[in-house]
Amino acid sequence: MVRVMVVDDHPMWRDGVARDLAEAGYEVVATVGEGRQAVRAAAAVRPDVVVLDLRLPDMAGAEVAARLAEVEPPPRVLVLSASAEQDDVLEAVKAGASGYLVKSASREEFLDAVRRTAEGDAVFTPGLAGLVLGEYRRLAAQDVQADGPRLTERETEVLRLVAKGLSYKQIADRLVLSHRTVQNHVQNTLGKLQLHNRVELVRYAIERGLDAD
Amino acid sequence: MAIEGPFWRAIAVYRVASLVYAAVLMAQQRGYQEPVAGWLVIGVMALWTAGTTYAYAIPGLRRGPLLALDLLVTMGCLLATPYVQGSLQGAAGTMPVPATWVAGPVLAWAVHAGRRAGAVAAAVVAAGDLWLVRAPDEPVVVNGAVLLFLAGVVVGHVAQLARQAEERMQRAIEMEAAQRERDRLARDIHDSVLQVLALVQRRGRQIGGEAAELGRLAGEQEAALRELIAVRPAPSGTTDLRSLLLRHASPEVTVSTPATPLLLPAEAAGELAAAVKAALDNVRAHCGPQARAWVLAESGEGTVTVSIRDDGPGIPEGRLDEARADGRLGVAESILGRVAELGGQVSIVSVPGQGTEVEITLPT
């Protein structure tokens, strides 16, 4: 049984989501309303999937996602946010979240996203694809030395089609690829961004550390 | 204006100091030829110094009548000089009885109404001063007049600058307060109303029937409210295209953008947003109100691209060219027109079974 933890500061919403998950056959191992509590609970109850709201009273959502990524074993994080704060979503995904869904998504969309997250797939909504595309463009425009992550032409093509609302199957048909290949391309774009983010964090930490001496 | 206060206090200090100077001169000259009249003038000056110090401190009294009276009293004291000084008047090194005190109203006019008013008051006082020192055989000494003009114009100018600076500061403070209030509201709305609307939408859809309709309405309001509180300020003259496009977000229309601003000249952004709206209206007209659509905005090298895709049946091959040949492109034509005027390009692609895609590219 897939173990799910729900993190949201709104009790009504939290309970509704937990009920939907339980009805769909998931084991809801914890429901918490704060970020710090969420990190502690995740270490104790070891969920497979964390459904995370980005607006929490005590911590920024991206930071919660980053701390969850350090938990052993790291749970997969699905961001479920009413937030129109696109920066927050992008930061959370760079910090390790593997999917993003708006709260207004239907129950079916939500359950499907949890299932895919549990299976290890990235849940790429068109909105997230747009954010990731934008982030690669920003990095490309910013780095002159070109040591930042780059998208291949194929990856760009796939990501743009995702952002335009095509399903993986439609993309596979249009580009004459297998469904799995499309999925891999999408996964790669996210993986490279998360890796770059970790490298940047380490570089930042080293620079700060050297300065402190 | 709070900034005027210090100016008026400074003028009061100036009046007191120059009153003392005039009294010292009077004492040194032992009251000139008419000591009684001379000390009477000094007395009037002292009274008027006290009066103006009090009156100019009250914002409601700083008006035309007080300023006019100020100038009249000063001129009166100045023009009493020939009677007080008699034959001593005009001798080398002799100042009129009020001496430097006469600059008081010049400064007052300048602070109250700016450098032009300062110059006018200076002209009046200088005219009186020059009339007093006129001598048939000697050249006119204009030092005093020049100093008065300089004082009037410079102080007036500085007072105006200070007032403008204060106004700007005030506006900035108000804007900051408004922004803070907006942030607070946004947080509150986000933490309460949006959550409930999203919940109603979700539960409504699950229950079905009439509740589903309520849920749909709640969803529309949620999207509208979310957009309302997410206003992004852009440098003046430009618009963040994202804020215009995100207004179209609804359960049927998904809008995807980068996390960073897409800045365009305000006019171009408006035209582009209008073209996008026309395209979305077109989708609704041809594929029904329930048709889904996706809007993607992205920046390229020196370009901004917006694509609008629907999941309708698509346009059969050849139909597009046919329509174009017949001049029946209708809405597409209006999009093409708008975009062409901005120096951009439009491509329309239709894949059977995968809807129609309109892609608009503008140079930035």
Side-chain angles (χ1 to χ4, degrees), chain A residues 6-176:
Chain A
V6 181
V7 185
D8 195 310
D9 67 330
H10 206 272
M12 256 162 79
W13 180 269
R14 200 162 62 212
D15 296 346
V17 167
R19 197 175 46 232
D20 285 349
L21 286 168
E23 279 170 12
Y26 290 98
E27 187 186 351
V28 179
V29 289
T31 58
V32 298
E34 284 176 12
R36 252 176 272 284
Q37 216 181 337
V39 177
R40 270 202 308 275
V45 301
R46 303 173 161 229
D48 301 307
V49 175
V50 174
V51 176
L52 175 67
D53 181 13
L54 289 182
R55 287 271 190 139
L56 297 170
D58 60 335
M59 257 165 109
E63 202 187 335
V64 180
R67 298 244 188 123
L68 286 173
E70 288 166 10
V71 170
E72 275 307 321
R76 303 190 165 278
V77 177
L78 173 66
V79 170
L80 184 65
S81 180
S83 177
E85 306 293 323
Q86 298 160 313
D87 291 355
D88 297 352
V89 173
L90 185 61
E91 283 310 311
V93 166
K94 278 160 70 180
S98 59
Y100 161 59
L101 207 61
V102 285
K103 277 195 170 174
S104 50
S106 71
R107 181 170 177 268
E108 290 68 37
E109 283 174 301
F110 168 64
L111 291 175
D112 184 51
V114 174
R115 182 182 56 74
R116 278 158 61 195
T117 307
E119 286 169 5
D121 286 341
V123 177
F124 246 78
T125 49
L128 179 55
L131 289 174
V132 170
L133 262 179
E135 180 65 3
Y136 274 103
R137 296 261 158 80
R138 187 184 69 81
L139 289 170
Q142 184 189 55
D143 285 358
V144 237
Q145 320 97 310
D147 67 337
R150 293 282 181 277
L151 289 177
T152 65
E153 247 170 68
R154 202 10 86 83
E155 284 166 350
T156 308
E157 208 174 3
V158 170
L159 216 46
R160 290 190 73 213
L161 292 176
V162 174
K164 288 174 186 176
L166 276 82
S167 68
Y168 287 0
K169 182 167 179 311
Q170 284 174 318
I171 297 171
D173 286 352
R174 198 188 274 200
L175 300 179
V176 201

Side-chain angles (χ1 to χ4, degrees), chain B residues 28 55 60-61 116 271 279 321:
Chain B
Q28 272 180 352
L61 290 179
R116 281 203 199 95
E271 284 291 299
D321 294 330

